[in-house]
Amino acid sequence: MSRIEITLSLKIVAPLLDLLNATANELKTQLAVQLHPPANGDDAEMDEMWRNSLLSTQNESVGVLLALFDGEFFETGTVTINTDESMQIIRACTALRLQMRLRQLADIPDETLEQGIGDFDALQPDTRRALMAYMFLATLQELIIRHVEP
């Protein structure tokens, strides 16, 4: 089993964790993406089981991501990602980013998010923090994708 060790700036990442935890709490009862169940006719019980399974998988993945920021992280500033957890962490980053995109970053056009914010300091403090968390999760995803063996 391979692993990735990433050293992060506690000064930058620690303040973002409150937002990540709050966003994770929002996702405990809702999917990051509202999906329509497969065509099962009018089988509400099957639809509910399907949704609950997706929700459980989403919450498990978010839990794996948040577990990276444990006591060791606050001592060393380092997170260790095992390759067997990498896909869960990528999915968790996606779920959190989608939720933040819909909530805290809804007023920022997609083009601006992709090309970069021109005047970062002009943003409201809560929007700046959400944008930093959003970019942090995107960077974490990129690092995992770049370093995990196929």
Side-chain angles (χ1 to χ4, degrees):
M1 168 176 53
S2 299
R3 65 183 205 182
I4 304 167
E5 283 190 15
I6 304 169
T7 302
L8 303 165
S9 168
L10 284 168
K11 181 180 174 184
I12 294 172
V13 176
L16 303 178
L17 294 178
D18 287 339
L19 176 58
L20 296 181
N21 281 314
T23 305
N25 283 335
E26 291 175 10
L27 291 175
K28 283 184 178 178
T29 58
Q30 68 183 36
L31 292 170
V33 176
Q34 299 307 312
L35 301 175
H36 302 288
N40 291 331
D42 292 324
D43 192 347
E45 186 176 323
M46 181 62 97
D47 293 349
E48 185 67 18
M49 286 176 38
W50 182 72
R51 182 192 173 286
N52 288 342
S53 175
L54 291 173
L55 189 60
S56 174
T57 299
Q58 172 183 280
N59 288 330
E60 181 181 329
S61 295
V62 169
V64 170
L65 170 66
L66 294 178
L68 295 175
F69 305 101
D70 58 6
E72 182 179 337
F73 167 72
F74 284 99
E75 289 176 17
T76 65
T78 301
V79 295
T80 302
I81 300 170
N82 296 317
T83 54
D84 59 341
E85 299 171 334
S86 61
M87 287 309 296
Q88 284 182 297
I89 293 170
I90 289 171
R91 284 192 299 266
C93 289
T94 299
L96 292 170
R97 289 179 69 214
L98 285 168
Q99 186 70 1
M100 285 188 281
R101 178 73 185 102
L102 293 172
R103 300 284 183 141
Q104 295 91 348
L105 302 174
D107 294 337
I108 299 175
D110 288 335
E111 293 172 358
T112 304
L113 279 177
E114 291 174 15
Q115 296 171 359
I117 303 293
D119 189 2
F120 187 76
D121 293 330
L123 298 173
Q124 294 295 319
D126 287 345
T127 304
R128 277 197 307 259
R129 187 172 70 141
L131 184 59
M132 288 177 61
Y134 185 88
M135 293 185 313
F136 165 68
L137 293 172
T139 302
L140 185 58
Q141 287 177 306
E142 289 177 22
L143 285 170
I144 293 170
I145 291 168
R146 202 174 303 144
H147 291 93
V148 171
E149 296 176 18

